[in-house]
Amino acid sequence: MSETCEQKVQQLHCSFDAGVSRPFAWRREQLRRMKRMVSAHRRDIEHAVYLDLGKPAAETALMEIKLVLDEIKFVEPRIGRWSRRQHTAMPLLMQPARSWTVAEPKGVVLVISPWNYPLMLSLEPMVDAIAAGNCVCLKPSELSPNTSALLERLISQYLDPRAFAVVQGAVPETTELLKQPFDHIFYTGNGKVGSIVMEAAAKQLTPVTLELGGKSPVFVDASANLNVAAGRIAWGRFTNAGQTCVAPDYVLTTPELVEPLAEKIATFTQKFFGDNPAESASYGRIVNTKQFDRLAGLLPTNGKAFSGGETNRKHLYIAPTILTNVDPNDPVMQEEIFGPILPILAVDNATEAVAFINKRPKPLALYVFTRSKATRLLFERHTSSGALGFNLPLGHLLSSRLPFGGVGASGMGSYHGKTGFLEFSHIKTVTSKPTFPDTLRIAYPPYRNIVR
Ligand code: NAD
């Protein structure tokens, strides 16, 4: 008989309480095993992700496998250093006394992951949670079933079964899982479900990390190197057929640049994927018909895309599409696109771009292409986003040294590297005072005028 999710979670709590996941040597060993698991099964992973998303193997190798291996490589040797006591001075009034903080594991962590980077978004949070000494329950996405099944098989084969569990399923199973007690919930996905997760967590006062999405804008000004901007925007937007949380969602630029920029992005798209991207081995597909229909509904009804616009529902194909003549009230500007469609809108200048962005929910990422120092400062000081990239979309995602997370509607909390280690740790304050001399007695009642 298969274990229920309640039994699985209970087992993880027993293991955590027994101290299974605390020793540094155990943590390092699990990370080394995960490294072996991912390295030895590269082809299986690439194949599973291809079956789920039509994702080119090279994209899986770079944006999923390499990122997980890089995170392990960065985190594993640093566990001891990050866990070390941090001593700090006590106020004079408390002297003699000592104090320090220590990072302790939170306990049993639930990781709920989405389908768009089904391996990376499952394993990277796990790496940080393991480094911090936690047991982990993973709920991968039902919309990437091949990768989810592979993850379950490999995790049970490679990692310590006492400390890890995988629960498969869709809404009913996740709803059931969310009723179980956890010490932290790490959710990646859309904001609507994010609030469902947070509501469930609130019932048990469980802390959450919410890695959400939203519309990540790009601003390009006249000082920018237009050619480089176009190439990088095209790469950021059309990788994984646009299904990347930090992909450029729309571009703002000055009126005279709309056409030349659209032209250049279209040229890069043609260089990347040829005359017919449907035949390109470098271009992915939309995950399912539900997402396909949603995206097809965002294309202009008069068929007037600047470039692209072709679709094939049977093959879940939507061509890399650039839209100009877009009104801010159009449906394509009301929700995160999360597909290979790129609207370009005109604004008069950088100040207007900032106002446009600040009128909308805080984005997960914001990208600015400019050579102007003043424009850089304007965006850095007057906008808020999970991350801000100058001339560089997606770059921050690739570094374990940088926190990755959203703000406001795009999420709360962050991870990767030390930030992730801290996210999955409780920073415990420890104080210690000798019993002799008993100086604390000066604070005891009855009060004299000593502290005024
Ligand atoms: P999804 O549909 O795979 O959902 C994510 C997870 O939530 C899945 O495991 C799913 O089973 C679970 N889920 C779905 N409905 C639920 C419910 N009612 N109750 C409980 N759990 C439920 O993925 P998605 O949400 O379509 O993912 C796309 C979104 O995620 C986009 O908005 C994207 O920007 C965002 N995203 C964010 C990041 C990030 O790191 N910030 C990364 C990737 C994707």
Side-chain angles (χ1 to χ4, degrees):
M1 198 181 74
S2 72
E3 270 182 309
T4 63
C5 81
E6 187 180 351
Q7 287 166 331
K8 285 184 179 184
V9 177
Q10 257 172 19
Q11 165 61 43
L12 297 179
H13 279 289
C14 290
S15 300
F16 182 76
D17 292 345
V20 167
S21 59
R22 280 179 184 261
F24 295 162
W26 182 92
R27 304 183 200 184
R28 288 199 192 99
E29 174 60 20
Q30 298 310 306
L31 293 180
R32 280 186 217 120
R33 287 193 201 180
M34 190 189 279
K35 185 175 158 191
R36 281 204 294 278
M37 167 181 116
V38 172
S39 304
H41 293 273
R42 280 171 185 277
R43 297 288 163 266
D44 299 331
I45 293 165
E46 286 167 8
H47 184 60
V49 178
Y50 176 77
L51 291 178
D52 287 331
L53 284 156
K55 196 185 280 196
E59 265 180 31
T60 301
L62 177 70
M63 303 291 282
E64 307 239 31
I65 295 173
K66 186 176 183 320
L67 288 189
V68 172
L69 294 177
D70 284 355
E71 182 74 0
I72 295 173
K73 193 172 163 195
F74 183 78
V75 162
E76 194 253 328
R78 293 174 168 81
I79 293 173
R81 194 184 321 157
W82 293 341
S83 303
R84 226 174 268 154
R85 284 178 174 183
Q86 302 285 325
H87 286 272
T88 174
M90 285 291 272
L92 199 59
L93 205 66
M94 290 289 129
Q95 295 292 353
R98 292 188 307 138
S99 62
W100 60 92
T101 56
V102 62
E104 62 176 27
K106 284 196 172 168
V108 177
V109 168
L110 171 63
V111 173
I112 303 177
S113 58
W115 51 267
N116 63 327
Y117 287 86
L119 181 95
M120 186 262 285
L121 294 171
S122 299
L123 295 187
E124 276 211 49
M126 281 183 71
V127 170
D128 296 355
I130 294 168
N134 298 281
C135 296
V136 182
C137 178
L138 172 68
K139 213 306 286 172
S141 180
E142 70 281 15
L143 303 180
S144 47
N146 293 285
T147 315
S148 296
L150 180 66
L151 274 169
E152 180 169 15
R153 180 165 70 76
L154 295 181
I155 286 172
S156 68
Q157 195 181 325
Y158 279 83
L159 303 186
D160 185 340
R162 297 171 299 169
F164 301 97
V166 178
V167 173
Q168 301 283 4
V171 177
E173 291 80 4
T174 318
T175 306
E176 197 48 40
L177 195 54
L178 286 168
K179 291 181 190 153
Q180 306 307 314
F182 289 101
D183 300 295
H184 191 96
I185 299 176
F186 186 101
Y187 165 82
T188 306
N190 70 73
K192 275 195 191 119
V193 176
S195 69
I196 294 174
V197 169
M198 198 169 171
E199 206 178 322
K203 292 205 174 99
Q204 309 199 50
L205 292 178
T206 307
V208 291
T209 307
L210 300 179
E211 295 283 339
L212 311 177
K215 291 180 88 60
S216 295
V218 181
F219 175 66
V220 182
D221 78 4
S223 75
N225 180 327
L226 219 56
N227 216 31
V228 170
R232 293 182 188 179
I233 293 168
W235 172 72
R237 172 74 288 185
F238 299 120
T239 292
N240 200 22
Q243 300 159 114
T244 303
C245 57
V246 284
D249 186 275
Y250 64 94
V251 178
L252 300 173
T253 191
T254 45
E256 77 285 3
L257 287 183
V258 171
E259 291 272 321
L261 184 61
E263 199 64 65
K264 281 186 189 294
I265 297 175
T267 304
F268 270 101
T269 307
Q270 198 268 347
K271 275 192 208 159
F272 293 171
F273 309 117
D275 290 333
N276 183 7
E279 287 169 2
S280 166
S282 300
Y283 189 63
R285 292 293 179 271
I286 306 307
V287 65
N288 56 27
T289 46
K290 188 177 163 204
Q291 290 294 328
F292 176 93
D293 291 342
R294 182 185 63 77
L295 287 162
L298 298 178
L299 292 171
T301 41
N302 60 9
K304 279 202 183 133
F306 180 87
S307 69
E310 302 80 18
T311 63
N312 183 331
R313 192 172 193 265
K314 188 165 160 237
H315 294 128
L316 297 173
Y317 168 77
I318 297 183
T321 299
I322 300 166
L323 304 178
T324 50
N325 294 325
V326 178
D327 187 277
N329 295 315
D330 287 351
V332 76
M333 289 304 294
Q334 306 314 310
E335 57 179 90
E336 180 183 0
I337 297 171
F338 217 54
I341 304 171
L342 183 70
I344 305 181
L345 289 85
V347 287
D348 283 340
N349 49 40
T351 311
E352 200 187 298
V354 167
F356 188 99
I357 291 161
N358 287 345
K359 250 197 284 173
R360 290 164 172 76
K362 291 183 180 178
L364 187 57
L366 164 56
Y367 306 115
V368 179
F369 287 85
T370 182
R371 285 193 178 106
S372 155
K373 203 174 165 195
T375 304
R376 282 172 174 248
L377 279 180
L378 176 76
F379 276 89
E380 195 170 329
R381 292 186 183 159
H382 296 283
T383 63
S384 177
S385 53
L388 171 61
F390 291 118
N391 306 325
L392 180 60
L394 273 52
H396 63 291
L397 173 67
L398 310 180
S399 170
S400 294
R401 293 176 190 271
L402 293 170
F404 183 86
V407 56
S410 57
M412 61 181 71
S414 43
Y415 72 128
H416 288 183
K418 189 174 183 186
T419 314
F421 173 87
L422 294 174
E423 190 81 357
F424 289 111
S425 300
H426 164 60
I427 305 304
K428 184 162 69 181
T429 293
V430 185
T431 54
S432 173
K433 186 167 173 58
T435 52
F436 180 84
D438 191 10
T439 52
L440 199 62
R441 289 176 58 181
I442 60 167
Y444 294 171
Y447 300 119
R448 291 162 291 234
N449 285 340
I450 51 160
V451 202
R452 292 201 174 161

